[in-house]
Structures are given as C-alpha cells and as structure tokens.
Amino acid sequence: MKTLLEVKDLKITFEFNEQTVNAVTNSSFKINQGECLAIVGESGSGKTVTALAIMKLIRSNSQLKITGNAIYDKKNLLNLDESTLQSIRGKKISMIFQEPMTSLNPLHNIQKQISECFEKKYKSDKSKCIDLLNEVGIENPELRLSHYPHQLSGGQKQRVMIAMAIANNPDLLIADEPTTALDVTIQKQILDLLDKLRKKYKMSLLLITHDLGIVKQISDRVCVMEKGKIVEQNQTSKVFSQPKHHYTKKLINSKPAEKKIIKKKNEVILSVKNLNVYYKNKSSFFFSNKNNDFQAVKNLSFDIAQGETLGIVGESGSGKSSVAQALIKLISSEGHFFFKKKDISSLSEKDFRSYRKNIQIIFQDPFASLSPRLTIQDIISEGLEVHYKEKSKKEMVDLTKKIIVDVGLDPSMLSRYPHEFSGGQRQRIAIARALILNPELIILDEPTSALDMTVQSQIVDLLLNLQKEKKLTYIFISHDLKIVKALSDKIMVMRSGKIVEFDDKIKIFSKPRDSYTKQLLNSAYL
C-alpha cells in the first residue's frame, strides 16, 4: 500500500517558566493511502499538537521548538514556506478541529464560510453548499445557509466544520475529535460518512479521539500516545485483542463505575411544571405573535429527588441545553419550576442571585466559558469572592488547590491561562469552578464530551463520591450513553422539545418502549 504521509522523529518542546516541556518525543508513524489511522491517548499526551505540527499551524519560535520530518508528496511539510503550504492546506490536507465554536467566524453566515473553501467561485456555490450540508446530515440546509454559528447547536456547528473540511475532496483528512459534540445517531452517520468518503475517493483519515468505541469501529491501525511518546502502534484488531503496553491495557479497560440505584423516598428538590422555551425569529422580533417563533421546549414536566441524577438524552437540537439554560434563568421561559418548594421561575435576577451558588451549571464548551484573561486560580475562585466574601484570601487559595487536585490536575497549574491547556484539561477546570461552591444541584451540559476514557472514569467516580457525601443532585445532559448509564438514576429522552420516554435507567436500557429510544441505543458504541 502506498504511503501518503510519513512522520519521522517528530519532536516538539515548549519552554515554560524556564522549564522545558516535551510535548512530543521522537514520534514516527505512516499513513497509507486510503486507510484510517487513529491516534489515541489521554488529554495532554500530544495527539492534537502532533496534528497541528503536521499542518504547520504551530511554528518554531523562541519558546517552541519543532524538529523532525513530515513527508507528503516528497516534500517535508515542516520546511515549506507559507505560500506552498497554502496550496496544500484545505485542498490536499484538511483538518477538523475539536471545538467548532472557536473555529467558525461569528460574523459570517454558514453559506459564506463554506463557500470560502472553494478554490473558484461559481454560480452554483449555493447548491454545492446545500449538497455538503445534506451529506453531513443537517436538516433544512437551505434555511441553515443564512444562519450564523450562534444559531446552531454544538452538533450542528461540528457538522458545518466537517462539510468545510471535505469540500475539496482532500487526500488526507485530519479529524481532531470530530464527533465530540455530536449525539449518538448523528455520530454514527458522520463516522459512516467519513468511512464512505474515505473508501470512495481513496482518502486517508487521521483520526484523533478518546473514544475507543469509535476507534474499534472505523480505524485500520492505531497509535497509542502517552506523555508525548507513541508507546504502541499496530493493526486495530491486534491492539484490542492483544495489547502489549500496560498503558494500552489501561485505556482499553477504562470503564466508568456505574451508580447503583437505591430507591428511597427522598424529598423532591426540583419540580418543573409545563416548561416552554421560545426563540424569536427575525420577522417576529418586535411582535408577540408566537406562531412565528420557534418552540425549543414544549410543556416539559418532571421532578428530581434530592441525591438523584436525571440523565437527559436526545439528538442535537432536541431542547436539552435549552432546558438547562431555562432552569438557571440564562434564557427566558414560560411555566414554573420549584427549588425546595420555592417557585424560583418568577424571581427577578437580583432575587435569583442568592440561588446561583446552590444551582450551578457546567457548560459544553469549556474554552468559550473560561475567561482567557484570567488565570485558573482566578477562574475557580471567582465564585467564592461573590458568594463567600467572609473567607480570607488564604482560605480561598487553599480551597482552590484542593478542588483542582480533586478533578485530577496539579496545583502548580493554577498560575496558567486557559489557552495553555488541552480540551480535556479545560473541561476539568470548568467542573472545579462549579464544585467549589458546594452547590445542591448541578446541571452538567456535556461535561465529559472532551475527556478521554480514563479521565471520564475519574470524573464519574468523583461526581458519584461527591453526590454520596453531600447528597448532591445532578441533571446530566449528554449524548454519551455509557456515561449517562453510569451516572443516572432516571433517564429522560427528548426529541423536538418533547419528552418521548421517562423511566428508571434499567428499564430504559433493557426494555425501551419508544422507537426513538431504541434508535439511540442501537446507534451507540456501548
């Protein structure tokens, strides 16, 4: 089989606080024409920085040194000038980034951003954009072309990125966590699509992911990275059946502990009655005619008892995140929700502020929710300064150090800024920020989407231990059914803003009643 790209002795070092960090150490691998090579490993292992170096999206400077070779078409990509690279990037080698919200331009609509990928402008640009959106599974593509990134769900934004990446039928597609923000049904569609395109056009795929279920299904070969080194590489079937390195065995055997359901008649901590969420269309901005508005959540009613975990699952755009944002009054809604029998739905922002330390949320995209101007110490302790003003500076620092260790990070990292961390590390920082206030109810909106499997297990264990010790209540929103199954007591399945099934997790996973629930379970790599 012909070799498309060969990486030889790639080494990447960072100078930080007068210390040398070896991000990648003497890594060598090949990608053959038409094959899928997966790179797996924990957050910070060097997966993404390897891909960025290949595309020369990071460059050597006084604090960053890159050496080695990345041979494509008999050229070393690491030595090419910018003009030559422009003829390769996006055309011959394309890339899908991990966080679509930071990759899409908020000032341009979807049609313009996809059209920019075409080498020449044609009258058929619009029809080409529609075809691409259809290929990646976006409904109503004609309507979506005029939308801006903020009007799309996380999964829809990622699908737009994939459409842009495959626009020129590249020889190599580098996919950095391409299904992170996608629900299980669309995840399967996207993986099937990438696999189909790879085989049809003999396109190679470099897949960077923490989801071993995906790796097992789609990749031909696997490289396992630990602390910047490739510790094992082999055919996928052999890696999973006969792993040689202890770290590979650790990854394969990583599975989150599952919460045991203990039926107790605990007091209801949150009660939601007839919740509705509307989003105004442009044509109705100055009018109150709801017939022109988009209804994201439709008459939702449910109760959560203290100490329980409610898992909410459903496709992108089903209304999951809208429920979360309505409950903490980040968006307007209709209906009533009661926290400890107190109707908080009608409270003003000033009156609701005292409840915010008791009801915390962890957002899906950690990079967008962490201030780039603040250190991690300031980000995590910010809530303490608002809600616990009586604590001394030393007490706040000590609490921050403790919580950062609890989520699996080192206290020495507190002086750094968000851009200096990997996606998984940023998500752990976001979790620490919520946990430090000792809330009673935590809403977790895709909190493990950016984490590798070993860290997912650590976070699940942490959440379960905290829930047991402090009788915490969780609303856990996710497309990862493995994590939902591990954490939840009850599961609510949503579709098009409605509840299609609500039951104990055991019944949902063993005897689903609704056809849509069955479809979700059949699409998941459990």
Side-chain angles (χ1 to χ4, degrees):
M1 189 177 289
K2 183 180 178 182
T3 298
L4 181 72
L5 175 73
E6 183 174 7
V7 176
K8 297 180 180 178
D9 302 319
L10 180 65
K11 185 176 182 180
I12 304 172
T13 58
F14 295 93
E15 295 295 330
F16 182 78
N17 286 345
E18 299 182 352
Q19 291 183 338
T20 300
V21 178
N22 295 314
V24 177
T25 305
N26 296 330
S27 290
S28 299
F29 59 89
K30 295 180 181 180
I31 304 174
N32 296 318
Q33 190 174 37
E35 80 165 349
C36 175
L37 174 69
I39 299 181
V40 300
E42 294 180 295
S43 300
S45 63
K47 307 187 301 295
T48 296
V49 77
T50 296
L52 293 174
I54 292 171
M55 295 283 284
K56 210 172 178 181
L57 294 176
I58 55 173
R59 298 168 179 271
S60 294
N61 53 46
S62 61
Q63 293 183 312
L64 172 63
K65 301 295 181 184
I66 303 174
T67 59
N69 299 280
I71 308 298
Y72 168 77
D73 194 23
K74 300 179 181 179
K75 302 182 185 73
N76 185 1
L77 297 176
L78 303 182
N79 294 335
L80 297 181
D81 57 63
E82 186 62 27
S83 177
T84 307
L85 281 169
Q86 285 178 358
S87 66
I88 296 176
R89 288 198 203 111
K91 298 173 185 176
K92 300 297 184 181
I93 302 177
S94 191
M95 187 167 182
I96 304 166
F97 296 96
Q98 183 173 353
E99 293 165 340
M101 190 59 185
T102 60
S103 303
L104 295 173
N105 192 324
L107 301 179
H108 294 164
N109 64 29
I110 300 308
Q111 181 177 345
K112 182 172 183 180
Q113 297 194 56
I114 296 178
S115 298
E116 286 175 347
C117 299
F118 304 142
E119 189 171 0
K120 296 180 180 179
K121 300 296 180 184
Y122 299 100
K123 292 181 180 179
S124 60
D125 268 5
K126 183 175 181 180
S127 63
K128 288 184 178 181
C129 291
I130 291 172
D131 290 342
L132 284 168
L133 292 183
N134 271 321
E135 276 197 308
V136 297
I138 289 186
E139 296 180 357
N140 301 319
E142 296 88 349
L143 176 65
R144 295 298 184 188
L145 285 179
S146 62
H147 284 187
Y148 290 81
H150 72 273
Q151 295 175 287
L152 305 179
S153 68
Q156 289 166 336
K157 285 193 282 279
Q158 189 66 291
R159 279 175 270 173
V160 170
M161 283 296 302
I162 293 171
M164 294 167 67
I166 65 174
N168 294 307
N169 296 326
D171 293 333
L172 172 63
L173 175 60
I174 301 175
D176 187 2
E177 302 283 2
T179 58
T180 291
L182 303 182
D183 55 79
V184 290
T185 52
I186 302 302
Q187 181 186 82
K188 191 175 189 305
Q189 292 173 22
I190 294 301
L191 290 172
D192 289 344
L193 171 66
L194 291 174
D195 201 36
K196 178 182 175 182
L197 291 171
R198 175 173 69 90
K199 293 173 180 176
K200 182 177 180 180
Y201 298 106
K202 294 183 179 180
M203 178 179 71
S204 301
L205 180 63
L206 176 59
L207 179 65
I208 297 171
T209 183
H210 62 262
D211 193 329
L212 295 182
I214 292 174
V215 171
K216 195 173 184 179
Q217 292 292 325
I218 194 174
S219 68
D220 298 303
R221 291 188 299 115
V222 181
C223 288
V224 183
M225 290 192 75
E226 181 189 22
K227 297 179 180 178
K229 295 181 180 180
I230 295 178
V231 296
E232 185 169 354
Q233 55 178 308
N234 209 332
Q235 294 178 2
T236 302
S237 58
K238 290 184 178 179
V239 167
F240 280 89
S241 62
Q242 300 172 3
K244 296 179 180 179
H245 197 272
H246 66 87
Y247 179 70
T248 308
K249 295 175 183 178
K250 175 187 172 184
L251 288 180
I252 293 173
N253 295 325
S254 294
K255 187 177 180 180
E258 190 168 325
K259 180 180 181 180
K260 296 180 180 179
I261 298 178
I262 302 175
K263 293 186 177 181
K264 293 181 180 180
K265 291 185 178 180
N266 291 342
E267 183 178 349
V268 171
I269 190 171
L270 180 71
S271 182
V272 179
K273 306 294 182 186
N274 305 119
L275 180 66
N276 292 278
V277 175
Y278 295 89
Y279 292 101
K280 290 185 178 296
N281 289 320
K282 284 184 178 181
S283 59
S284 63
F285 187 81
F286 294 105
F287 304 95
S288 59
N289 184 5
K290 289 184 180 177
N291 292 329
N292 295 325
D293 295 343
F294 171 70
Q295 188 172 3
V297 179
K298 304 171 183 177
N299 269 347
L300 248 66
S301 298
F302 59 90
D303 294 335
I304 307 175
Q306 188 176 38
E308 276 188 345
T309 300
L310 171 65
I312 303 181
V313 299
E315 292 181 339
S316 298
S318 62
K320 307 186 302 293
S321 293
S322 293
V323 171
Q325 293 176 38
L327 294 178
I328 58 171
K329 299 178 77 67
L330 290 182
I331 58 175
S332 59
S333 62
E334 295 181 357
H336 297 275
F337 40 97
F338 302 82
F339 181 75
K340 290 187 169 182
K341 300 181 180 180
K342 168 71 176 178
D343 188 349
I344 60 174
S345 54
S346 57
L347 293 179
S348 65
E349 175 59 31
K350 181 179 179 181
D351 293 333
F352 186 72
R353 195 168 299 156
S354 62
Y355 286 90
R356 289 199 181 278
K357 64 177 173 39
N358 295 321
I359 306 175
Q360 285 288 298
I361 186 168
I362 298 168
F363 294 99
Q364 179 177 352
D365 187 347
F367 197 61
S369 63
L370 300 177
S371 173
R373 296 177 181 272
L374 298 179
T375 65
I376 303 310
Q377 169 71 49
D378 294 334
I379 287 171
I380 296 176
S381 63
E382 190 174 23
L384 294 174
E385 295 173 2
V386 174
H387 296 288
Y388 296 97
K389 295 179 180 179
E390 72 279 1
K391 290 187 180 296
S392 66
K393 187 69 177 177
K394 183 180 183 304
E395 288 176 317
M396 291 184 184
V397 170
D398 290 343
L399 282 171
T400 307
K401 288 181 178 179
K402 181 181 182 302
I403 204 68
I404 202 74
V405 170
D406 286 344
V407 297
L409 297 176
D410 194 283
S412 64
M413 297 177 173
L414 289 171
S415 60
R416 300 185 192 178
Y417 291 83
H419 72 273
E420 299 177 77
F421 293 87
S422 67
Q425 290 169 327
R426 285 195 288 265
Q427 192 65 286
R428 280 177 269 177
I429 292 164
I431 292 172
R433 178 176 59 180
L435 292 175
I436 200 168
L437 294 176
N438 290 321
E440 296 179 71
L441 171 64
I442 302 179
I443 301 171
L444 304 105
D445 189 359
E446 301 280 7
T448 59
S449 61
L451 303 183
D452 54 77
M453 295 184 71
T454 54
V455 179
Q456 280 183 353
S457 298
Q458 294 170 17
I459 296 299
V460 169
D461 290 342
L462 172 65
L463 292 172
L464 289 175
N465 290 334
L466 289 167
Q467 186 173 48
K468 185 177 180 181
E469 291 172 9
K470 302 181 181 182
K471 295 184 178 179
L472 289 171
T473 306
Y474 298 138
I475 296 177
F476 193 87
I477 299 169
S478 181
H479 65 266
D480 191 333
L481 295 182
K482 296 188 296 293
I483 304 298
V484 172
K485 185 178 181 182
L487 269 173
S488 302
D489 297 285
K490 295 179 180 178
I491 295 176
M492 182 167 78
V493 183
M494 290 187 66
R495 188 181 193 186
S496 301
K498 295 180 179 179
I499 298 175
V500 298
E501 192 161 354
F502 191 135
D503 215 327
D504 292 339
K505 74 171 178 185
I506 295 175
K507 292 181 180 179
I508 291 288
F509 279 91
S510 61
K511 297 179 180 179
R513 298 189 305 272
D514 191 85
S515 59
Y516 176 68
T517 308
K518 295 175 183 177
Q519 181 187 351
L520 287 179
L521 294 174
N522 290 334
S523 300
Y525 298 117
L526 295 172

